[in-house]
Amino acid sequence: MDTTEIIVTLTGLALSAFVIWYFFFSARQTASAVSTASGVQEVDITVKGGYSPDVIEVERGKPVQLSFYRDEENSCSEELLMPDFSIRRDLPAFKTTLVELLPQQAGTFTFTCGMGMLRGSLVVK
Amino acid sequence: MEPTTKTETLDIEGMTCASCASFVEKSLTRTPGVQRAMVNFATEKATIDYLPTQATPATLKQAVVNAGYGVTERAPDTSAADRQAEIDQQKALAYVKLKRRFWVATVLAIVIMPLSMLMLWPAMMARVNMQWLNYGLLVLTIPVLLYSGREFFTSAWNGFKHRAANMDTLIAVGTGAAFLYSLAATVVPGWFMRRGIMPEVYYDTTATIIALILLGKVLELRAKTQTSAAIKALMGLQAKTARVVRPDGQEVDVPIEQVQLNDLIVVRPGEKVATDGLIEEGRSAVDEAMLTGESLPVEKKTGDPVFGATLNKTGSFRFRVTKVGADTMLSQIVKLVEDSQGSRAPIQRLADKVSAIFVPTVVVIAILTFVLWFDLAPVEARLPLALVNFVAVLIIACPCALGLATPTAIMVSTGKGAEHGVLIRNAEALEKAHQVNTVLLDKTGTITRGEPAVTDFVPAEGQDAAQLLQVVAAVERQSEHPLAEAVVRYADTQQAPIIAATGFQAIEGKGAQASVNGQAVLIGNFRLLDEAGISLSSAVRRQADELLGQAKTVLYVAMNQQAVGLIGVADTVRETSAAAIKRLQGMGIEVVMMTGDNPQTAAQVAGQVGIKRYFAEVLPADKAGKVKELQAEGRIVAMVGDGINDAPALAQADIGLAMGGGTDVAMEAAGITLMRSDLQGVVTAIELSRQTIRTIKQNLFFAFIYNTLGIPIAAGLLYPFFGLLLSPMLAAGAMALSSVSVLTNSLRLRSFSPAKN
Ligand SMILES: [Cu+2]
């Protein structure tokens, strides 16, 4: 093995480790819902290559209103899927789309883009 | 309801609890002119019936404000349609842009390809300055990268910031690496040469991959719009205007959004029914295929319900509006189909899990591929080989096909189901239905019509049948008893002339009497005649016994104190039942019947439609128990029922099918609702489910096999054995093809049509 090979190997392994840590193990952005006077839990979510925040905490039994603002035109994020609530919604680019639901059971429910690549979760307490 | 009452719905703001709701309700009820107010806390809506002479929408709002709450001004009901139109417009625009980007990439790739090939001819190489040629290719590739392929890079970057990796990440990293390497080889070729590497460029790879992937996206977008075509078509059926009859009798055309509850609407032949309501005047045949899938027009008369978007064929009629906007049958069907398309099929879970970890895993595999090739390949070729395989792995691994496999099939098939009057509640129900091996039918209303019909009309000896029927019908026309209605329907089908009866009198629990042409007529049960002191001749008595033996209800007719005939009435089997049951049995499904009737009647009906196993004398409360009993035998049971009392059984079954539009309760409990009242719908539902699951399995197989085989080949696994490497361009072509083939496979479901008997 020459020096270049050693450098390439080490760099490759380091990069792989970084990819695994970065995508699977690093900390996520969590946000709790804000309850309005009328008892609706409201959360603003920006869609741009992902959902931020992507972990949303809400309380059980109270209506939830999620405002998705899609800040890009890329096709991957054009659909929003919340299978546990039977919701499939188109998110127009540079517009806010409201999604309303009533979580009746505690648990963690994933929401994804149409192809399941972008992910976020709704944590019902 | 008094005709002068109006109904108003208000969106209430600021309610925090149920007591707020009752507070608002009280405040509204106390307002002069309000007859009834109902406030729903969950939906934040108040529904108020009021007299327009004493109250106005403004005073109602004031009452809410006085109670300390607010009223949200509602956008008109068209907002949903407008929103959809806007989304459609945006999608169309995106499609045009995408196509433009595709064409730019394609044209440039077509120029770049042969120029890169020049290097393969030694004769050419001598004549062309390689340095200059590379710069030329660079200039041609930049627009492909920055204009056509820009979305991949921005999307990958946005995703990276969110710790999310999507397919664009793969494409961006792959093409980006190929481009950067080529750029370096163009600008500093000396650096490569000094290390014994030919400064090769991969501009053709970069441009071709982008062009091919864009081709895949163009085809994908085109196919995807077709997956939701059925539901769009449903929404498009909505009438745009309605002809409202004003209180002064004037007829005016108004936009559909302005139609209000209790308006009177005229429908002429050939026109669409504007919204849901009840016929007040006139009769006609209405084509309801768009809601029920039933191709024959349905006869409608005064008192019958009509539904928006159905097509009036022959006559003209007026109807009173009972539902508008989102409450109409059409809107509810659209909502149900939309909901089901948003749900997840259990079969998809594996694909979901895989796609969540897929992209980062592929990136790691690609990096390791690079390292291995770099370390193992001959020194002079290691960098290009490592690079080519790195790019090939990234490009071929794109998991779009996996993501598209299930949802597209479900979208097409739920839409298709709606077209045939089969409403599927969610993807899980669709999946469950294909496993069914036992169908349990509730007799009344599913196998049979669920309403009595005349089966035998038996005049006593010496009586003229036609004349007797006229007389009987004359009396029964005035009665509201269901048995009487059956007799009238029978008389109508026999086209008996209508004559008048006078002095009609219903006798509770026994029958009716009236006089026709001066003769006293009695129609009713045996007790009616018995108490009137009329005796039956032995011939009549024998005929009655025979009818009773067939489990029929017998009506006795007497004229002038003499028994003159018998009418046998029974719940009749639908014409389509036997054929549908046979078809189910042909699909390998056992059909079991249950009924509250006695074993004799049950055996008779079962025999008529070819059912071998049945449960008789089942009490409504025991229906769910029968489902459990079958499940205990290890069967996967589909329960078909139509009534409220079927709801527990529908819920208990592995899959519930509510029939005939069903009551709301039955619909809630059922996974599938059949809009059309015959068993053919059960066949359609199960066939559709089987075909859909087959399609999904094929799709998943294509997608998985393609990735699991594609990645090792791209990584160069075959090279040591066969000297085989996958060119990144081929990988791009295959990747574009895979998602297109999955979509095409799903779209094949559009040709589904239920087997007709
Ligand atoms: Cu892809």
Side-chain angles (χ1 to χ4, degrees):
Chain A
M1 233 185 204
D2 62 23
T3 340
T4 332
E5 282 172 350
I6 293 169
I7 293 172
V8 167
T9 310
L10 290 178
T11 316
L13 291 178
L15 261 176
S16 305
F18 171 75
V19 168
I20 292 171
W21 169 80
Y22 188 77
F23 288 110
F24 295 137
F25 295 105
S26 59
R28 300 269 149 182
Q29 218 183 339
T30 306
S32 295
V34 182
S35 284
T36 60
S38 54
V40 178
Q41 313 181 71
E42 294 183 347
V43 187
D44 291 331
I45 299 160
T46 307
V47 186
K48 192 177 184 182
Y51 304 102
S52 43
D54 59 3
V55 180
I56 293 142
E57 289 178 351
V58 296
E59 273 177 71
R60 189 161 61 116
K62 282 193 194 167
V64 175
Q65 189 184 62
L66 306 172
S67 318
F68 285 90
Y69 177 69
R70 180 158 161 244
D71 195 15
E72 64 178 355
E73 263 188 306
N74 298 321
S75 58
C76 198
S77 56
E78 74 187 358
E79 258 185 341
L80 172 78
L81 260 184
M82 305 187 85
D84 299 294
F85 300 95
S86 280
I87 290 169
R88 176 186 289 273
R89 224 31 95 66
D90 281 310
L91 304 179
F94 310 115
K95 293 245 155 61
T96 301
T97 307
L98 295 183
V99 174
E100 277 140 355
L101 50 92
L102 184 66
Q104 273 158 334
Q105 280 174 328
T108 301
F109 306 100
T110 357
F111 52 91
T112 67
C113 70
M115 282 188 192
M117 303 302 311
L118 314 182
R119 325 192 126 236
S121 48
L122 189 72
V123 180
V124 182
K125 295 201 160 161
Chain B
M1 196 181 289
E2 279 183 52
T4 47
T5 312
K6 283 189 86 170
T7 306
E8 177 78 23
T9 308
L10 298 177
D11 288 335
I12 312 292
E13 226 167 45
M15 295 190 296
T16 53
C17 58
S19 69
C20 293
S22 71
F23 197 62
V24 174
E25 204 169 275
K26 249 182 237 157
S27 171
L28 279 168
T29 317
R30 284 201 205 109
T31 308
V34 171
Q35 301 192 312
R36 203 175 60 105
M38 254 171 37
V39 179
N40 187 324
F41 169 57
T43 59
E44 302 193 289
K45 279 187 189 350
T47 313
I48 308 130
D49 295 338
Y50 65 100
L51 297 168
T53 44
Q54 294 177 43
T56 63
T59 59
L60 299 177
K61 274 177 204 166
Q62 194 52 47
V64 176
V65 174
N66 288 346
Y69 300 88
V71 174
T72 322
E73 289 301 334
R74 263 210 295 184
D77 264 350
T78 49
S79 62
D82 281 352
R83 216 182 83 92
Q84 189 57 46
E86 200 189 306
I87 288 172
D88 287 347
Q89 205 188 356
Q90 227 188 31
K91 278 191 174 166
L93 202 71
Y95 183 59
V96 170
K97 271 197 207 164
L98 179 66
K99 268 209 304 214
R100 201 183 303 141
R101 286 167 44 212
F102 162 69
W103 280 116
V104 168
T106 307
V107 168
L108 288 171
I110 287 172
V111 178
I112 292 167
M113 277 275 243
L115 286 179
S116 312
M117 301 289 177
L118 284 184
M119 296 293 112
L120 299 178
W121 280 282
M124 280 288 190
M125 261 176 88
R127 274 188 237 165
V128 181
N129 181 328
M130 208 178 82
Q131 190 77 42
W132 283 111
L133 180 66
N134 283 354
Y135 272 107
L137 289 173
L138 171 63
V139 169
L140 288 171
T141 309
I142 284 176
V144 179
L145 212 66
L146 293 189
Y147 172 70
S148 299
R150 200 191 57 203
E151 187 187 289
F152 303 130
F153 293 93
T154 52
S155 169
W157 177 243
N158 288 335
F160 184 76
K161 282 194 294 187
H162 283 90
R163 292 160 199 259
N166 54 41
M167 18 248 155
D168 294 339
T169 312
L170 300 176
I171 296 159
V173 175
T175 55
F179 179 76
L180 287 177
Y181 180 86
S182 309
L183 186 66
T186 307
V187 180
V188 285
W191 188 88
F192 290 85
M193 304 241 237
R194 259 175 270 131
R195 280 158 185 79
I197 305 165
M198 264 294 282
E200 275 183 84
V201 291
Y202 295 95
Y203 293 122
D204 55 337
T205 308
T206 312
T208 314
I209 289 176
I210 291 177
L212 280 170
I213 296 204
L214 287 173
L215 169 69
K217 289 215 167 203
V218 168
L219 295 176
E220 194 180 299
L221 206 63
R222 227 178 49 187
K224 252 171 119 178
T225 51
Q226 294 173 329
T227 57
S228 57
I231 190 156
K232 289 237 176 70
L234 264 181
M235 284 200 276
L237 288 174
Q238 171 97 50
K240 304 279 178 290
T241 59
R243 184 163 302 128
V244 174
V245 185
R246 288 276 158 79
D248 60 7
Q250 207 191 341
E251 292 178 12
V252 268
D253 278 330
V254 302
I256 188 71
E257 297 82 32
Q258 289 176 18
V259 173
Q260 294 188 331
L261 290 179
N262 293 319
D263 277 352
L264 189 63
I265 291 178
V266 190
V267 188
R268 304 215 178 111
E271 284 181 344
K272 258 182 202 169
V273 178
T275 184
D276 296 5
L278 289 173
I279 296 186
E280 287 210 339
E281 201 185 313
R283 59 192 307 159
S284 181
V286 178
D287 177 0
E288 296 188 333
M290 49 297 287
L291 299 184
T292 62
E294 169 67 77
S295 51
L296 292 175
V298 184
E299 291 291 331
K300 300 274 180 180
K301 56 179 194 306
T302 307
D304 284 345
V306 286
F307 303 102
T310 57
L311 197 62
N312 181 29
K313 299 292 249 193
T314 50
S316 151
F317 60 87
R318 293 173 169 213
F319 73 96
R320 187 71 67 184
V321 175
T322 55
K323 276 170 186 164
V324 290
D327 297 332
T328 58
M329 184 75 96
L330 181 70
S331 299
Q332 285 187 358
I333 291 175
V334 168
K335 169 106 181 36
L336 203 104
V337 176
E338 278 177 341
D339 280 357
S340 74
Q341 293 183 339
S343 66
R344 170 172 46 198
I347 197 170
Q348 199 186 346
R349 278 195 198 125
L350 178 62
D352 273 356
K353 277 201 186 115
V354 172
S355 57
I357 58 163
F358 199 81
V359 174
T361 311
V362 166
V363 173
V364 170
I365 293 175
I367 293 173
L368 296 179
T369 303
F370 185 94
V371 169
L372 278 175
W373 275 98
F374 194 88
D375 290 351
L376 300 178
V379 173
E380 66 282 0
R382 64 186 182 186
L383 193 53
L385 276 177
L387 180 78
V388 166
N389 290 307
F390 173 76
V391 176
V393 168
L394 288 174
I395 300 301
I396 199 152
C398 196
C400 318
L402 204 56
L404 291 169
T406 319
T408 50
I410 291 194
M411 282 180 85
V412 177
S413 75
T414 46
K416 200 72 202 172
E419 219 174 276
H420 287 100
V422 175
L423 299 185
I424 297 154
R425 197 173 177 73
N426 52 40
E428 197 175 345
L430 186 67
E431 187 176 336
K432 204 83 204 182
H434 94 285
Q435 303 168 322
V436 161
N437 57 20
T438 307
V439 171
L440 180 59
L441 302 173
D442 180 49
K443 190 207 84 180
T444 312
T446 56
I447 300 176
T448 65
R449 280 171 217 283
E451 56 179 25
V454 171
T455 54
D456 303 80
F457 186 75
V458 192
E461 217 170 316
Q463 294 291 328
D464 178 59
Q467 217 158 17
L468 184 62
L469 185 58
Q470 270 179 55
V471 172
V472 167
V475 179
E476 298 287 51
R477 269 181 219 285
Q478 306 208 16
S479 168
E480 278 166 3
H481 197 276
L483 289 178
E485 277 175 34
V487 175
V488 173
R489 263 201 310 276
Y490 176 74
D492 284 346
T493 57
Q494 302 292 312
Q495 290 170 338
I498 296 174
I499 53 172
T502 52
F504 176 85
Q505 202 186 341
I507 304 158
E508 187 79 29
K510 289 172 207 158
Q513 65 177 38
S515 96
V516 182
N517 297 337
Q519 307 189 76
V521 183
L522 281 176
I523 305 173
N525 55 18
F526 180 72
R527 249 175 73 203
L528 181 75
L529 267 67
D530 198 39
E531 282 171 21
I534 302 168
S535 57
L536 300 178
S537 70
S538 62
V540 170
R541 195 180 292 273
R542 202 176 53 247
Q543 281 162 330
D545 284 344
E546 197 178 309
L547 291 177
L548 289 168
Q550 292 166 13
K552 286 170 183 162
T553 306
V554 179
L555 291 177
Y556 298 84
V557 186
M559 259 161 87
N560 296 333
Q561 292 294 98
Q562 197 196 341
V564 290
L566 299 171
I567 303 169
V569 180
D571 187 7
T572 52
V573 169
R574 291 181 207 278
E575 297 95 17
T576 52
S577 293
I581 288 166
K582 199 167 166 212
R583 174 113 205 123
L584 285 172
Q585 288 164 338
M587 290 161 74
I589 293 169
E590 185 178 2
V591 183
V592 182
M593 181 184 89
M594 74 177 160
T595 172
D597 292 344
N598 58 48
Q600 199 185 4
T601 313
Q604 227 239 323
V605 174
Q608 225 175 319
V609 294
I611 289 178
K612 290 180 192 70
R613 185 171 174 191
Y614 56 86
F615 303 114
E617 288 175 340
V618 180
L619 298 172
D622 296 339
K623 285 183 176 176
K626 290 293 172 202
V627 176
K628 270 191 211 158
E629 217 171 279
L630 288 171
Q631 283 170 331
E633 293 174 21
R635 293 155 180 274
I636 312 245
V637 181
M639 159 83 197
V640 186
D642 73 329
I644 292 173
N645 60 29
D646 292 332
L650 288 172
Q652 169 65 38
D654 294 287
I655 172 92
L657 293 98
M659 192 181 260
T663 52
D664 287 347
V665 182
M667 258 174 100
E668 276 300 313
I672 295 177
T673 302
L674 307 173
M675 300 299 292
R676 195 168 134 193
S677 294
D678 75 49
L679 286 177
Q680 183 59 42
V682 180
V683 180
T684 306
I686 293 178
E687 274 180 350
L688 183 64
S689 155
R690 286 187 176 184
Q691 210 154 317
T692 306
I693 297 301
R694 204 179 309 138
T695 303
I696 291 176
K697 282 182 178 162
Q698 286 162 353
N699 285 352
L700 287 175
F701 175 78
F702 282 142
F704 269 121
I705 202 80
Y706 163 86
N707 277 328
T708 44
L709 288 185
I711 293 172
I713 295 175
L717 201 70
L718 296 182
Y719 187 73
F721 311 108
F722 308 102
L724 212 67
L725 278 180
L726 189 68
S727 131
M729 286 182 264
L730 266 184
M735 131 83 209
L737 263 180
S738 84
S739 45
V740 173
S741 58
V742 160
L743 267 163
T744 316
N745 195 37
S746 293
L747 285 175
R748 283 198 310 136
L749 280 169
R750 285 196 307 172
S751 66
F752 172 85
S753 88
K756 287 272 182 301
N757 300 290

